Amino acid sequence: MPVEFLTDEQVARFGCFGEAPSQAELERFFFLDDADRALVGRHRGEHNRLGFALQLATVRYLGMFLADPLEVPTAVVDFLASQLETTDPSRVKTYAQRQATQWEHAAEIRRECGYRDFGDASAEVDEFVAARAWTRVETAKALFDATVAWLRSNRVLLPGASVLARLVAGHRDQTTEQMHASLHQAAIAADPELPGRLTELLAVPEDSRISELERLRRGPTRVSGRSMTEALHRASELAGLGTNAVDVAAVPVNRLEALARDGLSAKAQAIERREPRRRTATLVAAVRSLSSTAVDDALDVFAALMADKLIKAAERTSRDAKLASLPRLNRASSTLASVGRVLQNLSESAESDTLAFSQVWAAIEEVVDRRRLAAAVDTVDELAPVQVDDDAAWRAELVSRWAVVRPFLPLLAEVIPFGASPAGQSVLDAVIELPELIGRKKVRASEIRDDLVVGSWRKLVAGGPELDPGCVDKHAYALCVLEALHKALRHREVYARDSKRWGDPRARLLEGEAWERIRPQVLTGLKLTEDAQAHLDEQATGLDAAWRHFGARIDTDTGDGRVRVETGRDGRAQIRVDALEKLDEPPSLLALRERVEQMMPQVDLPELLLEVHARTGYLAEFTHASGGESRMDEAELSLAAVLVAEATNVGYKPVARPRHRALNRARLSHVEQNYLRAETLRAANARLIEAQADLPLAQLWGGGMVASVDGMRFVVPTQTVYAGHNPRYFGRKRGATWLNAINDQVAGIGATVVPGTQRDSLYQLDVLLNPDHGRRPELVTSDTAGYSDMVFGLYRICGMAYAPRLANLADTRFWRIDPAADYGAVNDLARHRIQLGRISPHWPEMLRIAGSLVTGTVRAYDLIRSLGRDGNPTPLGQALAEYGRIAKTQHLLAVADPDDDTYQRSLNAQLNTTESRHRLARKLCFGHRGELRQSYQEGMEDQLGALGLVLNAVVLWNTTYLGAAVEQLRAQGYPVSDADAARLSPLIDTHLNVHGAYTFFLPQLAGLRPLRDPQAGSDEDESS
């Protein structure tokens, strides 16, 4: 079997020192402990002891003995010699003079340290490789490296590269065939006709240009009643294929997901050509994934339809109608006011307490006649009725839109596999009952669920006099239930089973054995304890110290400083903090900044990406969706071209080269569909983040433990469910927000796409809990972002400090724990009390939430939604809010410190870095006026993920060359202080060309250029 996945260079480096080990590797593999020294000490002569130590450490590092034990880097010899106190390390050269000694030493090391030959451990190796190949989705090279690591750790001597590569390739092929056979047999067991039905999806109907599978792949893009109906039919059709009945428990989830990705990205013709078992397995995985996605898509449409097309539209219509009716209401009110003045005058001028009825009417009719008065009363009753709540008008308008929801109501509960918590069970029952009720001519009041008919819905559902006694308006009741369903879905009181986006977050929380197994590690990592009282006492001590520190400093303030405690309009204390003054930039910094920017080499974006790849190898992380190895020559060129096309938003046309194999449009499209996805973008980004962290200049900027999160807005002019309205950012169009996190080394560490401009704080925690690389930040800052006390609590319990920039501290509440504590001048400011008694009973559940969040088993967005409803938190949500008030108050006191503005300035500086990065992102993403033209959320995430990756590559390149410029200046005697170097920014772009280059070469033409064939393929289409 040929070793296809290893390059010649990798084979040549196998089992030898490719380069000198790093300091960390020297300390890990080449350190001699007491046992090692005792073993080395058995031998006479410095050269023999050093040679023996070389073989001992080399086999530990490489996993095999070298034919020439002295073929090691000098750094290794020196490191070992220093430990053995060898006076002359060069004497080790005499160790090579007697080969028998080398063999004897190798045999002794094998015997004393327990090293085994590969053949003696073949059964264990086979077991490891087979198990890993079955449970992991990774390339053959990754499995090869993991096997090498296992052999080293288990002291099994490495075989030749080709032997190990054949073993790895054989097990990968075997487990892949096993998976295909298992799914094929499971499909037949579920339904013998299922493989045939699935294969029929690959056919192209006569009246269509695409296969049935491709049709089902396409989700909804519009928000309308018709689109909702179509989305439910699509979900029903996919569920009706029967793949959910296939028992896939034997196949690991990650392998099933990888197979589904392969099936969803491959062309139908390619799947059809596959061997039958592989074809069935691919289709089973793909259709199961599509079935789950279709349910999510339908609920996405429902949420957008209810929020934007129904509720908000009804509110706008009722508001417009109210404004239009104001002149009528004003005239009627004026009439009634004149009548009121007449009555008031009569009362004041009457000689007795009683007035004749005729006398009163006579006085009124002198001002207004009875008909006009009656009309005024009717107008006021119509336009300003006595209402149960303020929602009556728009809810009445909502009922008039019954025709929008009528077509999909019978399908809703039938197609979506709904579930409910106890709080949402009544809503779910009502949804299930709706199809039968709306099919009748009459619905009696006893047949509806009264607990859902609240507020102004009571009058609307009760209907008018045209209804028979005891009956209700079924249309109003249906809209009432749908509004309740919309709210219950948002808070996950009603959810979709086995759904990724609309599932039950409570069911995903760690519990039982799974929680008990990792609880000690989670608590240690987050510095938490199961003893709630001890932990809360520690928090109380910290908050008390912060208040006393602040109180002591504010006491010495004269009252006219930057920070002041004033008396507000309500007579209570409030704090005022003036804006910070801008720090002056020293002349040395200005001169350094100008000089290094002039030294930056001019570079085109494609060259920059390839140069960064040459240093980091990040493009190697883009693997095929099937998990297989890439068989493309010059793959890095294709990947770089796709990244440029996606990040700059220009499509393929400017980067494609029809005559270049690696750059023709078909190749680029294949790479984009099969290689560019969330996990490969994350893996590639991890390499760039790691490389950035290793640069000395980046280390001057920070340690990577501070991060900021902010949103970048993009107009989305295409039809899509995943965009929202916000006139401030998008005008009359719709758009999406790219929420991204940047650490203090100016590396983007994570991002997500948010439809419209929903509250950022609901999504921020998910981005930070799952960074692309490295440790989570310890301090997180952002703009206000609709923060809440609960969000502070979730950050704190997950081991991070949340530090948003707050717009107005005067209106912000400060909290204390000890009501008897004396904080001097700020006693009244600390008038709100934290109730620790609300936290302790829920502490075990809060710890379980923390464990579930940091291990990624539940999304913070879903969890936050489920912990409150309409501004009223659940008891668990209230416990998290009380806990968050401790962290929030400590943050506020640090921001308002009257003597030290370092904390506030550091937060502002990090947020300014984010804004500068967004400016650079705007320059990069210039195509199509910077608008996103993706219809699906996955497409938006992939494109903006490519933009984030390219941004990190630019930042890494800039940082590298800035560091080189600083070092060169220092070498030339130019004074560069670390303080000035720490204020340089890698977010510069005057040297960077992102717009490509124009060619001015006229080809040889014999007359006019040939016209294109309109029936030919669109190899030069702009669309990507």
Side-chain angles (χ1 to χ4, degrees):
M1 184 180 298
V3 187
E4 296 179 346
F5 59 86
L6 292 179
T7 65
D8 293 341
E9 182 183 0
Q10 289 169 339
V11 173
R13 288 205 314 263
F14 180 78
C16 64
F17 287 89
E19 55 187 18
S22 66
Q23 184 62 34
E25 290 173 327
L26 286 173
E27 294 169 355
R28 178 182 177 188
F29 294 101
F30 296 89
F31 174 77
L32 301 175
D33 59 20
D34 291 344
D36 295 333
R37 289 173 179 272
L39 199 58
V40 172
R42 295 178 184 179
H43 301 278
R44 293 181 297 176
E46 285 188 338
H47 67 288
N48 279 332
R49 286 193 291 272
L50 185 53
F52 185 92
L54 276 174
Q55 292 216 68
L56 176 63
T58 296
V59 73
R60 202 153 54 197
Y61 180 66
L62 295 179
M64 64 192 306
F65 294 100
L66 294 176
D68 181 358
L70 302 186
E71 281 191 2
V72 299
T74 304
V76 171
V77 177
D78 293 341
F79 187 76
L80 290 170
S82 65
Q83 297 179 75
L84 297 175
E85 299 179 352
T86 302
T87 55
D88 184 8
S90 65
R91 294 184 60 187
V92 77
K93 295 177 182 178
T94 60
Y95 182 70
Q97 294 176 357
R98 187 172 182 273
Q99 200 170 40
T101 300
Q102 301 170 21
W103 295 341
E104 291 168 2
H105 287 179
E108 182 181 351
I109 292 170
R110 291 176 58 170
R111 183 177 64 254
E112 295 293 335
C113 298
Y115 283 96
R116 296 175 290 166
D117 284 329
F118 181 78
D120 296 335
S122 59
E124 297 174 52
V125 178
D126 282 340
E127 182 180 358
F128 168 79
V129 178
R132 189 174 178 99
W134 178 247
T135 57
R136 300 287 186 94
V137 179
E138 57 189 358
T139 63
K141 178 61 169 59
L143 179 56
F144 180 89
D145 292 341
T147 306
V148 168
W150 185 90
L151 292 171
R152 288 173 179 165
S153 65
N154 287 274
R155 301 194 176 188
V156 178
L157 297 176
L158 297 182
S162 60
V163 172
L164 193 57
R166 284 195 295 270
L167 175 71
V168 166
H171 277 293
R172 289 185 86 245
D173 290 344
Q174 182 179 344
T175 54
T176 300
E177 291 173 3
Q178 178 186 349
M179 177 179 64
H180 294 160
S182 175
L183 291 174
H184 180 73
Q185 292 299 324
I188 293 175
D191 183 353
E193 297 181 0
L194 180 57
R197 285 203 304 274
L198 294 177
T199 302
E200 290 174 1
L201 295 176
L202 305 176
V204 179
E206 292 183 2
D207 58 345
S208 177
R209 299 179 60 185
I210 60 174
S211 67
E212 288 295 283
L213 179 61
E214 180 60 30
R215 178 181 63 82
L216 292 172
R217 285 173 179 166
R218 299 182 178 182
T221 59
R222 295 177 179 271
V223 178
S224 65
R226 180 178 179 181
S227 181
M228 180 64 189
T229 304
E230 292 172 350
L232 289 172
H233 279 303
R234 172 174 173 253
S236 177
E237 185 176 355
L238 284 162
L241 290 170
T243 55
N244 289 333
V246 178
D247 184 4
V248 298
V251 180
V253 174
N254 56 344
R255 296 216 62 180
L256 197 65
E257 290 176 348
L259 187 60
R261 284 196 303 269
D262 179 35
L264 294 175
S265 61
K267 294 182 179 179
Q269 299 92 323
I271 299 176
E272 191 171 17
R273 289 194 297 268
R274 294 178 178 178
E275 181 267 332
R277 290 187 301 179
R278 183 186 177 193
R279 180 173 64 235
T280 300
T282 302
L283 290 170
V284 165
V287 173
R288 283 177 63 91
S289 177
L290 268 180
S291 183
S292 174
T293 301
V295 169
D296 282 343
D297 290 343
L299 290 177
D300 286 341
V301 175
F302 176 75
L305 178 66
M306 290 296 300
D308 297 334
K309 299 293 185 178
L310 292 176
I311 294 176
K312 287 184 180 178
E315 289 175 343
R316 284 195 301 271
T317 301
S318 63
R319 185 168 57 249
D320 292 344
K322 186 175 183 179
L323 290 174
S325 67
L326 282 179
R328 290 179 57 207
L329 183 61
N330 287 341
R331 289 193 295 271
S333 300
S334 177
T335 299
L336 294 180
S338 62
V339 172
R341 283 192 293 272
V342 168
L343 296 176
Q344 185 178 8
N345 292 335
L346 285 175
S347 174
E348 292 174 353
S349 61
E351 296 179 357
S352 63
D353 293 337
T354 59
L355 290 171
F357 187 74
S358 58
Q359 183 182 356
V360 172
W361 267 115
I364 291 174
E365 287 180 327
E366 289 180 4
V367 177
V368 57
D369 60 65
R370 295 195 181 195
R371 181 179 300 176
R372 183 179 166 193
L373 176 59
V377 171
D378 291 342
T379 298
V380 171
D381 282 341
E382 175 192 351
L383 302 180
V386 178
Q387 297 178 355
V388 178
D389 56 40
D390 295 333
D391 300 329
W394 70 258
R395 281 175 170 166
E397 177 62 29
L398 185 63
V399 174
S400 70
R401 298 168 187 263
W402 157 253
V404 176
V405 304
R406 180 181 57 81
F408 67 77
L409 269 183
L411 292 170
L412 191 58
E414 176 185 340
V415 173
I416 306 297
F418 282 124
S421 68
Q425 190 59 52
S426 180
V427 176
L428 178 55
D429 291 341
V431 172
I432 294 172
E433 295 162 358
L434 263 187
E436 195 272 332
L437 292 179
I438 63 175
R440 300 186 196 171
K441 290 185 176 181
K442 299 178 181 180
V443 176
R444 297 194 172 277
S446 59
E447 297 174 307
I448 66 172
R449 295 188 174 268
D450 288 332
D451 55 321
L452 301 184
V453 184
V454 295
S456 54
W457 278 120
R458 293 192 185 96
K459 182 177 180 180
L460 293 169
V461 171
E466 68 278 4
L467 292 175
D468 291 344
C471 293
V472 297
D473 186 331
K474 63 181 181 180
H475 296 170
Y477 178 66
L479 269 301
C480 170
V481 171
L482 288 182
E483 187 199 357
L485 176 62
H486 175 57
K487 289 182 178 179
L489 281 169
R490 287 179 58 204
H491 297 284
R492 302 303 187 265
E493 293 170 353
V494 175
Y495 51 85
R497 295 188 179 92
D498 301 323
S499 166
K500 293 181 180 179
R501 299 195 293 271
W502 293 94
D504 180 13
R506 294 165 289 264
R508 295 176 184 152
L509 292 174
L510 291 168
E511 60 182 350
E513 183 181 348
W515 168 231
E516 295 299 328
R517 186 169 58 250
I518 69 167
R519 180 169 58 180
Q521 298 94 312
V522 168
L523 297 185
T524 300
L526 298 179
K527 300 177 182 179
L528 297 172
T529 173
E530 294 187 66
D531 187 344
Q533 191 59 51
H535 178 76
L536 294 176
D537 286 347
E538 181 182 346
Q539 299 299 306
T541 301
L543 181 59
D544 182 72
W547 270 117
R548 294 186 184 282
H549 176 81
F550 182 73
R553 293 194 174 196
I554 208 74
D555 273 343
T556 64
D557 200 273
T558 61
D560 57 357
R562 187 180 68 89
V563 180
R564 305 177 301 281
V565 175
E566 301 176 345
T567 302
R569 293 181 180 180
D570 59 356
R572 308 305 300 267
Q574 63 181 22
I575 197 163
R576 296 283 181 184
V577 179
D578 293 340
L580 291 171
E581 295 181 358
K582 183 179 179 180
L583 290 177
D584 292 332
E585 295 183 330
S588 60
L589 172 61
L590 297 175
L592 175 64
R593 187 178 292 155
E594 181 180 2
R595 188 173 290 261
V596 295
E597 289 187 16
Q598 291 172 347
M599 295 171 68
M600 295 292 283
Q602 298 289 328
V603 65
D604 291 339
L605 183 60
E607 294 176 12
L608 182 150
L609 296 180
L610 292 172
E611 183 179 341
V612 170
H613 170 64
R615 291 196 174 93
T616 65
Y618 73 103
L619 294 177
E621 297 293 345
F622 288 93
T623 56
H624 194 276
S626 65
E629 300 296 321
S630 171
R631 298 181 179 179
M632 300 184 301
D633 294 329
E634 298 182 306
E636 66 278 2
L637 290 183
S638 303
L639 287 163
V642 169
L643 288 175
V644 169
E646 294 287 321
T648 60
N649 205 27
V650 297
Y652 293 148
K653 187 174 182 179
V655 300
R657 299 293 181 269
R659 296 181 182 179
H660 195 301
R661 185 178 181 183
L663 297 175
N664 66 67
R665 193 183 188 285
R667 168 82 165 259
L668 298 182
S669 178
H670 171 80
V671 168
E672 189 272 330
Q673 293 179 49
N674 292 280
Y675 290 81
L676 195 71
R677 57 187 187 278
E679 69 224 45
T680 55
L681 287 165
R682 284 170 61 93
N685 209 27
R687 289 211 190 188
L688 300 184
I689 297 169
E690 184 176 6
Q692 179 78 0
D694 289 338
L695 295 177
L697 184 57
Q699 292 167 6
L700 287 178
W701 297 331
M705 291 294 99
V706 177
S708 54
V709 190
D710 197 9
M712 185 174 172
R713 319 296 180 181
F714 288 89
V715 171
V716 183
T718 58
Q719 288 289 343
T720 178
V721 178
Y722 305 103
H725 292 282
N726 189 319
R728 177 182 174 185
Y729 297 107
F730 312 130
R732 295 193 171 190
K733 296 182 180 179
R734 301 165 74 230
T737 298
W738 184 41
L739 190 67
N740 53 100
I742 299 95
N743 68 15
D744 54 1
Q745 294 178 331
V746 204
I749 59 174
T752 191
V753 176
V754 179
T757 56
Q758 300 180 31
R759 282 177 57 190
D760 290 351
S761 62
L762 299 182
Y763 295 89
Q764 287 177 2
L765 194 53
D766 283 318
V767 173
L768 293 160
L769 285 172
N770 301 283
D772 291 346
H773 176 74
R775 294 170 56 194
R776 299 183 185 95
E778 295 175 355
L779 177 67
V780 178
T781 184
S782 71
D783 279 324
T784 303
Y787 78 92
S788 67
D789 295 344
M790 190 189 303
V791 171
F792 271 97
L794 286 171
Y795 269 97
R796 169 64 69 90
I797 206 166
C798 288
M800 292 180 283
Y802 186 43
R805 179 163 57 188
L806 304 181
N808 187 3
L809 291 187
D811 296 330
T812 304
R813 289 187 175 187
F814 288 70
W815 300 82
R816 69 159 73 199
I817 292 176
D818 184 0
D822 183 7
Y823 299 132
V826 294
N827 260 331
D828 190 47
L829 186 66
R831 59 184 175 272
H832 302 287
R833 186 183 173 192
I834 297 169
Q835 303 292 332
L836 295 184
R838 295 179 177 177
I839 303 175
S840 300
H842 298 281
W843 186 245
E845 189 73 4
M846 290 167 64
L847 294 179
R848 194 160 67 95
I849 284 176
S852 301
L853 287 171
V854 299
T855 56
T857 60
V858 66
R859 289 198 314 170
Y861 172 83
D862 295 331
L863 190 64
I864 294 171
R865 286 287 195 186
S866 70
L867 291 173
R869 182 186 177 94
D870 299 332
N872 299 313
T874 64
L876 177 58
Q878 184 63 47
L880 284 165
E882 296 285 346
Y883 185 67
R885 287 165 181 163
I886 301 173
K888 172 188 170 183
T889 302
Q890 289 174 325
H891 164 60
L892 294 174
L893 294 176
V895 168
D897 192 314
D899 297 336
D900 187 358
D901 59 12
T902 305
Y903 178 75
Q904 189 177 3
R905 287 193 183 277
S906 66
L907 300 183
N908 290 347
Q910 184 62 30
L911 287 170
N912 291 340
T913 299
T914 304
E915 293 170 3
S916 297
R917 191 171 187 265
H918 286 176
R919 180 198 55 76
L920 179 57
R922 290 290 181 197
K923 175 174 179 175
L924 288 175
C925 189
F926 66 89
H928 295 301
R929 295 177 296 179
E931 297 176 343
L932 281 183
R933 308 243 167 162
Q934 302 283 352
S935 295
Y936 301 106
Q937 187 170 17
E938 185 177 357
M940 294 181 190
E941 290 176 344
D942 287 348
Q943 182 174 354
L944 293 176
L947 175 60
L949 182 67
V950 170
L951 273 169
N952 270 1
V954 171
V955 167
L956 177 60
W957 193 95
N958 284 351
T959 306
T960 302
Y961 279 91
L962 283 172
V966 167
E967 291 305 314
Q968 181 175 315
L969 288 173
R970 284 172 170 167
Q972 294 171 349
Y974 187 91
V976 180
S977 68
D978 282 350
D980 284 346
R983 295 181 70 178
L984 294 176
S985 171
L987 299 170
I988 53 178
D989 57 64
T990 54
H991 60 287
L992 176 63
N993 176 28
V994 302
H995 297 100
Y998 297 97
T999 59
F1000 295 88
F1001 173 74
L1002 181 64
Q1004 294 295 328
L1005 296 174
L1008 297 176
R1009 296 174 185 265
L1011 299 175
R1012 291 190 299 164
D1013 182 355
Q1015 302 301 322
S1018 56
D1019 191 54
E1020 298 195 10
D1021 282 353
E1022 284 196 47
S1023 63
S1024 58

